[in-house]
Each structure stands twice: as structure tokens, then as C-alpha cells.
Amino acid sequence: MAIAKALRLELAAAQSVAIGLHEMIAVTEEVTPIHVPRAPSHCRSLVAWQTQLLPLFDPLEWCGENDTNAKRDSAKFYAIVSYETGSAEGFALGCIALRSFPAAIDVDDANACMLPSQRWQTIAHACFLDGDAMIPILDLAAMFGRPMEQLAPAEVNPFEALAA
């Protein structure tokens, strides 16, 4: 059995995710999301951090599990995370809104389980049980590194409908 150190990130009261310790750069409370018109619902804001604008990715919105009554008002912290790009820079940064401060946890292979839904397969490496909770392990390169048009669910173009 292999045990690895990770960080548990609480996104909502009933949903947490995990990332590797090495992927966390900083946790801050001082973030003002900047709305980006016409951006996909799962990544509709940028946040200014140091000298960069970082995408604010919402895994629950991406997976269709976001409770509309408890949107981003519950975010108290923001995780600045890094992922490998495969480019000359080597890595890039992104941001995830959190309901609580990250907690260090041990992830044991013996607790592996299926992902909560098929939609998680596009942004998670794997999943494990922590008590009764299913905790997806995020694939940050898949979340932030792919072009948004590859990630975004197919949308209807209103101009195509008018032309028909």
C-alpha cells in the first residue's frame, strides 16, 4: 500500500477535492475576482495575484454539481496552484476558490474508489474515500492547461439558430 501526502480543499459543504502538496503555491483571502464576459461558466473570472492574472476555475460548476444557492459567497480562501505545462516555462498558475483553509491529509491506495461522476474524469486523476466522502484528486494541468474550447461543454450558437 502506498501512502502519499496531499491537501484536502473544501469547495462546498458536501464536496472536497485533493491536490499534491507540491502543487500548492499560496493560500490567500485577498482576492477580488474579475468577471470575464462570455467566458465559460466554470472559469468566468480572473484573479490578480502578484503581477499575474490567473484563471479562477470552479470544479463544481464544471462537473454540474454547484449549488446555485451557495455560489461563490461561501469562498473564504483562494488556493494559488501550479501545474506543469510541458513548455519552456515549465509551469503555470491557476486559482481555486475554497470554503475553508486547506488541510494536510494522507491518501492511501487502499481507499481508492470510482469518481463521483463521469464529468470528473476530465479534470481528476483518481478518487479516494475519506470516511463516506468521495474525494477526487485534481489534474491541474487538465483543468488549467487545456484550451477552454476543449474543456467547455458544447454550447448552442444563437446565430446558427437564426440562420436556419
Side-chain angles (χ1 to χ4, degrees), residues 51-153:
T51 61
Q52 299 180 54
L53 287 175
L54 308 178
L56 177 60
F57 196 101
D58 185 343
L60 296 180
E61 183 74 31
W62 169 252
C63 292
E65 297 179 17
N66 210 348
D67 178 2
T68 56
N69 296 325
K71 287 269 185 190
R72 289 168 228 349
D73 296 340
S74 65
K76 294 183 174 87
F77 298 97
Y78 294 84
I80 308 300
V81 296
S82 69
Y83 60 93
E84 293 184 27
T85 63
S87 65
E89 295 86 29
F91 74 96
L93 303 175
C95 183
I96 303 170
L98 307 177
R99 188 169 185 261
S100 62
F101 199 82
I105 58 171
D106 289 328
V107 178
D108 190 333
D109 285 348
N111 297 331
C113 67
M114 299 295 292
L115 289 163
S117 70
Q118 187 174 12
R119 193 78 171 136
W120 282 99
Q121 291 177 4
T122 57
I123 64 168
H125 292 292
C127 192
F128 66 94
L129 287 174
D130 186 17
D132 291 337
M134 298 172 83
I135 312 293
I137 302 170
L138 295 179
D139 180 349
L140 298 175
M143 283 174 50
F144 293 106
R146 292 183 187 152
M148 284 296 124
E149 59 272 9
Q150 288 180 4
L151 280 175

Side-chain angles (χ1 to χ4, degrees), residues 38 153-161:
R38 300 183 48 85
E155 296 181 21
V156 176
N157 183 340
F159 297 109
E160 289 177 0

